[in-house]
């Protein structure tokens, strides 16, 4: 295990940091060596990517906080326009170094303004001789903003001519970002997924105070045995661990088993966890409902999940309209005569079969159809005579807009009903 | 009211000849109501008691409206209570902020209530209004109602949300903000952080405030949750929802957000719209609102099957309203709107509807009837039927003496009210029986039974016969409970006629009780004796013989006492039905209380625009009522408007229509009536005029969407309807 070492920072802080970021030591030391000392210029932009909850945000945050490096941390989902993003950076910059209330935000519409204001802010906060880190979390959102935002952030050091490093955090690879030719390529860094060993280690770290670490570690072991196949998300696992721990402790609390009686404990918890995988994990029932169930000792079967309520009752004509739309979008036009007319004449059997064998229409997806066809099919499938009333037309008009999207049946039902 | 009348002017095609109504926008409310009252009488030449009719109509509608609102409130109570529980649970959790281990480890999810509301989208508004009112009054002042059409992007959503929460103008990204700084503090950055700041300042303020200062805040919780309601969750784009949830989940520690999703279809849609990474941020609980069919049943129960309101719906009208509900929209609101239309139409078109009032007012109103109104009464078909049945002396008196007529009318109307009261009670009793029969020959719901009874004499129908048959096979315990239910219904009804009936039912019940004891003895006796006999005979032949005998005896066995009693009960119910469930249109003067003009209602509520258009163009006489236009069969009159001629000619063509041929045919038709020997100069001029008329008619058809220019051939147009492309 590589110990973190860097001449610029005190060893105690580094040791503390190492304790905070288990299983990410190599990445941290890599980052530290890129950062260099406080006053040294660092690489202009760093791109860090890795799968969901591989610790990107957490590592960056702890690193910058523990070493007390000046930084700005922005979530790009939250700042959904470029203006919000730029202003947010400026606001944080104003408040990060001084304790006074930030003054009213200055409007900042363009990147040009931003560079100007940014330089001013740096000077006024006395940060010229230190590297400032701007961390943009969820950087993939930047692609949807104006075209100049991403390239400009990559070259911010050059544009502002000051000591600043932009760190982009994302879940997708850099190749999907690359805006155009001539853009500055950042230094890319990959955070690999946590292995099962890592997960075990990290999860076991936070054991509840009333139980021993070993007891909790054994629990985590069982939990991972069940859930590792479907979920490697650390956050989710921790959530699940917290939800089900009380059930695990039950035999111990009742005095039926002691803490070392792993086999008995396993027998108690394993079916419970499996049930949790089918319900809480999929958000079929909510975690609070799950907890209440546990508390009351009821069977999870009593509570119907979200998917259990699939039945949708529709008015009579809406139902047939929907069926007609389905038929019209999946049946080829030439079969209409055969299916919906009483005297349709002879069909050349061989020919028809041959064509039909080629591909299933369901694989090809729904096709658009003219409105008249929909109506004609509707009239032929409804038993009684349908009066062409305004009510039906109004239902159609809403169906028409979505004729290509038949798989979105639900969406249509709603529009049909309106 | 004026809206309704205006809508009538728009929708009804048959009122063209009868007059059209212009409603000038009036600023004063009183003036408006007066003018409406005036319009109320326009259609009828003799504007009898217009004012009074209008006032009666309004007060009746107000009563009905408050009644429906009450029903809605009662039905929503359960839902609201559940929501309240849900919110309070999360609220206490939020306030605790404990350092307990599980709380620390657990991921803080956004509490989300999924309200499954059913496909009747038109009713949702009302539900949401009651939900938000309820929350506003009891829990939190901070409620935002979002609709998908206002939120195409996350930006608009945030803007809308903050606008509703902070109650002020919020600016996101406007370009013209030269004066941004100086303008006002009202313009706030549209981000979550400013929302949080706002929340902190607001909660701090209310905390420092004395509770007496603001009455509303005292009922609210401390640090009340911010409730965001998505009215139509299905229509939101996935991205907007996802982004919003992700943003919210980052700030859930500072801002106690609660989401409410309005779902019209099934809760599955949540998983379909949101990926697992997003739905794992939510703590979703399901809430089912009342089903629209139950709601309708209650409404029918409270509005129609009651003696509270003098106004009643006839069979056909009720059928139209129910059909619209079942076939088209499932919307209770539309049903009530339709009911309102019936009321307005009834009071508007029936001059005698002035007598459609509470019994207390009846005498006064009857006596103040004018001579014309008396004549109106005499003209009613049901009254004429009644007169014919009377002896000759009374006939003369009824037809000539107004005062005698008035007294008779009052008596008859009072009878009608009593009839309705009794009708409802007996209908409910009958429903108790029919609703438990297998396969429900007379319908499961009371509304079906009601329709059947109004339609014609129910005891003559096959379904009634078969349900009586089935009722004769009911077992004892069912029969007893049913009789008890009937007794309760009859006791609770205000009619005085049912004293005897109740007595009779009581007698039946006691007889059933007595039976129990007697029968137990008998049964035992029979079984023991037969078994003994079986044991005696040993050889096969005799055994067979006795078994056969036993079978025979069982078949021809006399009816047991229970069976006799059962027959008696069913016959008694049958007699009640025959006595009380006479269809309303057999009753004298039913026209005054029952609205039965289904055709008008259908024209308004379930219009058929295509058919109307076709009729107008194909048979202009239908609407214009001009004798010259009357034509039979397929012939085309040259007196008809040009567009009708062009339309008829185009019906004979195929997919593509040659304009030259069309013009030729048009001019032939138009010229058919003209003198053939006109001089050439004037005929040339004539041709130009005809040409122009033709072009105008064709472009009108194009405007109506029957044809369009074709790109295949320049001198052709393409047909768009009936076999066109």
């Amino acid at each position: 295990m590589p110990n973190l070492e860097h001449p610029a920072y005190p060893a105690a802080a580094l040791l503390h940091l190492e304790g905070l970021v288990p299983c990410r030591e190599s990445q941290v030391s890599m980052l530290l060596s890129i950062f260099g000392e406080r006053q040294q210029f660092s690489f202009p932009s760093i791109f860090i990517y890795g799968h969901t909850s591989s610790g990107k945000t957490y590592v960056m945050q702890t690193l910058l906080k523990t070493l007390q490096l000046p930084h700005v941390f922005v979530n790009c989902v939250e700042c959904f326009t470029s203006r919000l993003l730029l202003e947010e950076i400026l606001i944080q910059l104003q408040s990060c170094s001084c304790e006074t209330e930030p003054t009213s935000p200055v409007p900042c519409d363009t990147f040009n303004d931003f560079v100007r204001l940014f330089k001013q802010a740096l000077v006024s906060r006395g940060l010229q001789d230190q590297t400032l880190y701007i961390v943009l979390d969820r950087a993939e959102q930047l692609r949807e903003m104006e075209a100049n935002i991403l390239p400009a952030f990559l070259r911010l050091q050059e544009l502002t001519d000051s000591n600043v490093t932009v760190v982009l955090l994302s879940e997708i690879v850099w190749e999907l970002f690359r805006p155009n030719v001539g853009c500055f390529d950042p230094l890319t860094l990959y955070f690999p997924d946590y292995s099962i060993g890592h997960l075990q280690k990290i999860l076991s770290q936070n054991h509840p105070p009333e139980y021993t670490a070993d007891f909790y570690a054994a629990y985590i072991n069982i939990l991972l045995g069940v859930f590792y196949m479907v979920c490697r998300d650390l956050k989710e696992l921790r959530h699940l661990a917290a939800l089900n721990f009380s059930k695990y402790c039950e035999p111990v609390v009742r005095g039926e088993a002691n803490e070392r009686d792993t086999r008995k404990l396993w027998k108690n918890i394993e079916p419970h966890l499996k049930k949790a995988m089918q319900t809480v994990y999929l958000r079929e029932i909510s975690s609070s409902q799950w907890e209440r169930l546990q508390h009351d000792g009821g069977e999870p079967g009593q509570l119907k999940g979200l998917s259990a309520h699939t039945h949708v009752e529709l008015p009579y004509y809406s139902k047939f309209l929907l069926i007609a739309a389905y038929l019209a979008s999946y049946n080829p036009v030439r079969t209409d005569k055969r299916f919906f007319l009483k005297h349709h004449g002879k069909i050349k059997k061989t020919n028809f079969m041959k064509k039909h064998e080629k591909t299933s229409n369901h694989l090809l997806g729904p096709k658009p159809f003219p409105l008249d066809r929909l109506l004609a099919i509707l009239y032929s499938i409804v038993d009684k005579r349908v009066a062409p009333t305004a009510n039906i037309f109004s239902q159609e008009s809403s169906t028409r807009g979505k004729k290509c999207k038949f798989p979105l049946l639900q969406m249509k039902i709603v529009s049909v009903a309106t | 009211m004026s809206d309704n009348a205006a809508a009538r002017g728009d929708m009804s095609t048959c009122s063209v000849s009868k007059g059209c109504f212009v409603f000038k926008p009036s600023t004063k409310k009183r003036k408006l109501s007066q003018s409406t009252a005036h319009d109320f009488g326009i259609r009828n030449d003799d504007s009898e008691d217009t004012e009074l009719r209008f006032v009666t109509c309004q007060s009746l509608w107000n009563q009905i409206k408050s009644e429906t609102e009450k029903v809605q409130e009662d039905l929503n109570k359960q839902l609201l209570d559940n929501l309240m529980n849900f919110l309070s649970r999360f609220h206490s959790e939020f306030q605790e902020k404990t350092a307990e281990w599980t709380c620390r480890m657990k991921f803080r999810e956004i509490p989300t209530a999924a309200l499954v509301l059913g496909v009747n989208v038109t009713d949702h508004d009302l539900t949401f209004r009651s939900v938000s009112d309820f929350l506003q009054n009891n829990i939190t002042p901070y409620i935002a109602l979002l609709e998908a059409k206002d939120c195409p992007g996350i930006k608009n959503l945030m803007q809308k949300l903050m606008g509703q929460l902070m109650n002020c103008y919020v600016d996101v990204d406007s370009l013209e903000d030269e004066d941004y700084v100086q303008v006002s503090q009202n313009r706030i950055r549209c981000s979550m952080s400013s929302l949080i700041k706002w929340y902190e300042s607001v909660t701090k303020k209310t905390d420092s405030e004395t509770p007496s200062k603001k009455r509303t805040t005292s009922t609210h919780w401390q640090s009340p949750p911010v409730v965001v309601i998505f009215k139509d969750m299905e229509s939101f784009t996935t991205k907007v929802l996802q982004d919003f949830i992700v943003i919210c989940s980052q700030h859930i520690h500072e801002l106690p957000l609660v989401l409410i999703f309005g779902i019209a279809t099934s809760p599955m849609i949540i998983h379909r719209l949101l990926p697992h990474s997003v739905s794992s941020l939510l703590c979703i609980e399901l809430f089912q609102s009342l089903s629209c069919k139950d709601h309708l049943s209650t409404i029918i129960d409270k509005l129609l099957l009651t003696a509270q309101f003098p106004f009643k719906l006839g069979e056909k009208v009720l059928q139209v309203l129910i059909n619209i509900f079942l076939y088209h929209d499932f919307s209770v609101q539309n049903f009530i709107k339709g009911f309102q239309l019936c009321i307005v139409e009834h009071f508007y078109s029936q001059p005698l509807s002035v007598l459609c009032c509470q019994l207390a007012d009846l005498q006064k109103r009857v006596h103040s009837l004018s001579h014309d109104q008396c004549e109106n009464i005499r003209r009613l078909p049901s009254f004429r039927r009644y007169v014919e049945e009377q002896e000759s002396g009374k006939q003369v008196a009824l037809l000539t003496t107004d005062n005698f007529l008035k007294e008779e009318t009052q008596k008859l109307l009072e009878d009608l009210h009593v009839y309705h009261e009794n009708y409802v009670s007996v209908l409910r009793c009958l429903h108790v029986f029919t609703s438990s029969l297998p396969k429900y020959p007379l319908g499961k719901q009371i509304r079906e039974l009601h329709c059947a009874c109004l339609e014609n004499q129910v005891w003559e129908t096959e379904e009634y016969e078969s349900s009586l048959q089935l009722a004769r096979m009911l077992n004892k315990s069912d029969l007893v409970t049913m009789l008890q239910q009937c007794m309760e219904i009859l006791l609770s009804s205000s009619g005085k006629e049912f004293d005897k009936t109740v007595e009779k039912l009581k007698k039946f019940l006691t007889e059933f009780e007595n039976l129990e004891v007697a029968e137990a003895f008998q049964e035992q006796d029979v079984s023991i004796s037969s078994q003994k006999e079986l044991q005696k005979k040993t050889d096969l032949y005799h055994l067979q013989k006795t078994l056969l005998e036993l079978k025979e005896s069982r078949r021809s066995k006399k009816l047991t006492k229970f069976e006799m009693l059962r027959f008696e009960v069913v016959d008694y119910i049958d007699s009640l039905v025959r006595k009380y469930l006479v269809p309303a249109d057999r009753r004298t003067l039913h026209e005054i209380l029952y609205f039965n003009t289904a055709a008008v209602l259908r024209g308004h509520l379930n219009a058929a625009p295509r058919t109307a258009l076709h009729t107008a163009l194909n048979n202009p006489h239908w609407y214009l009522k001009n004798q010259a236009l009357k034509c039979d069969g397929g012939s085309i009159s040259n007196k008809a408007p040009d567009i009708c001629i062009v339309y008829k000619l185009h019906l004979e063509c195929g997919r593509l229509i040659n304009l030259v041929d069309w013009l030729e045919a048009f001019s032939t038709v138009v010229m058919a009536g003209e003198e053939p020997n006109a001089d050439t100069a004037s005929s040339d001029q004539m041709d130009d005029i005809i040409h122009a008329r033709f072009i105008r008619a064709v472009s009108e058809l194009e405007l109506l969407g029957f044809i369009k220019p074709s790109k295949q051939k320049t001198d052709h147009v393409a047909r768009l309807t009936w076999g066109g492309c």
Side-chain angles (χ1 to χ4, degrees), chain B residues 144 455 500 536 660 696 714:
Chain B
E455 195 179 4
K500 260 190 203 159
K536 260 192 264 170
V660 181
R696 190 177 66 182
T714 43

Side-chain angles (χ1 to χ4, degrees), chain A residues 163-182:
Chain A
N163 193 354
V164 60
T165 293
V166 176
V167 184
L168 304 167
L169 305 181
S170 175
E171 286 176 13
I172 56 178
V173 293
W174 171 247
E175 278 66 33
L176 294 172
F177 271 77
R178 203 189 302 272
N180 46 27
V181 190

Side-chain angles (χ1 to χ4, degrees), chain B residues 248-294:
Chain B
C248 288
S249 79
Q250 258 151 16
H251 296 284
I252 188 71
H253 290 275
E254 297 128 291
L255 189 70
L257 265 169
V258 176
L259 306 183
I260 295 181
F261 291 151
I263 294 171
T265 51
S266 88
M268 281 278 280
I269 195 77
I270 297 177
H271 288 317
R272 209 168 293 179
L273 280 177
L274 304 174
H276 182 252
S277 61
V278 176
S279 67
S280 65
L281 303 174
L282 301 175
C283 180
I284 308 163
E285 272 185 45
L286 209 59
F287 296 90
Q288 199 98 31
S289 85
L290 58 143
S291 106
C292 51
K293 284 188 174 167
D294 293 346

Side-chain angles (χ1 to χ4, degrees), chain B residues 438-465:
Chain B
K439 283 191 184 170
Y440 312 105
L442 277 170
K444 206 175 184 177
Q445 307 276 350
I446 195 164
R447 60 163 189 261
E448 295 163 84
L449 191 64
H450 181 49
C451 280
C453 291
L454 280 179
E455 195 179 4
N456 45 33
Q457 289 163 338
V458 72
W459 55 88
E460 285 172 358
T461 58
E462 259 176 55
E463 290 86 9
Y464 181 77
E465 204 50 51

